[in-house]
Amino acid sequence: MKRCEHCSKNKHRSDDEKKYLKTRLKTIEGQVRGISNMIEEDRYCNDILTQLLAINKSIKSLSNDILKNHLATCVVDDIQNNHLDVIDEVMDLIGRIN
């Protein structure tokens, strides 16, 4: 089976960066579990929707943080190494995030 070229790319993250990202993800996981509990408890729709909006905001914020880091590290490295196809990749990615 042929792998796509993007699947073989890796990003080294420091222990501090991994800890930060994992903490953010655990917070989002907790928010999702909270909504599950709210549904079990027959909570009011407006309360559930408010929590869903909070999760969306958390995910968007985390996505933006990862994108900023990606631009500052991976994309800069690719451009410096004359891998200019990364620009199209980033433009597509930004379109999907927003």
Side-chain angles (χ1 to χ4, degrees), residues 2 5 12 15-19 28 34 36 41 45-46 56-57 66 68 70 75 79-80 86 88-89 93:
K2 184 177 177 183
E5 66 182 65
H12 175 73
D15 289 341
D16 286 343
E17 185 179 3
K18 287 178 185 178
K19 182 178 178 182
I28 293 168
S36 181
E41 296 167 358
C45 298
N46 191 46
N56 284 335
K57 186 175 179 181
I66 292 173
K68 287 177 191 175
H70 178 57
V75 173
I79 290 172
Q80 288 175 342
V86 73
D88 291 332
E89 177 186 303
L93 182 61

Side-chain angles (χ1 to χ4, degrees), residues 47-87:
D47 296 338
I48 294 171
L49 289 168
T50 298
Q51 291 306 309
L52 286 168
L53 291 171
I55 291 171
N56 284 335
K57 186 175 179 181
S58 295
I59 290 172
K60 186 155 184 106
S61 174
L62 179 59
S63 296
N64 286 333
D65 285 351
I66 292 173
L67 176 60
K68 287 177 191 175
N69 183 276
H70 178 57
L71 292 171
T73 58
C74 302
V75 173
V76 168
D77 289 346
D78 278 347
I79 290 172
Q80 288 175 342
N81 291 310
N82 207 31
H83 297 268
L84 301 181
D85 58 320
V86 73
I87 295 170

Side-chain angles (χ1 to χ4, degrees), residues 11-44:
K11 162 72 168 126
H12 175 73
R13 291 178 178 84
S14 69
D15 289 341
D16 286 343
E17 185 179 3
K18 287 178 185 178
K19 182 178 178 182
Y20 169 77
L21 293 172
K22 286 180 169 186
T23 298
R24 298 277 305 268
L25 287 170
K26 286 181 189 247
T27 299
I28 293 168
E29 286 179 58
Q31 290 174 304
V32 171
R33 279 192 307 276
I35 290 173
S36 181
N37 291 337
M38 292 173 78
I39 291 169
E40 284 297 317
E41 296 167 358
D42 294 325
R43 297 281 296 272
Y44 187 56

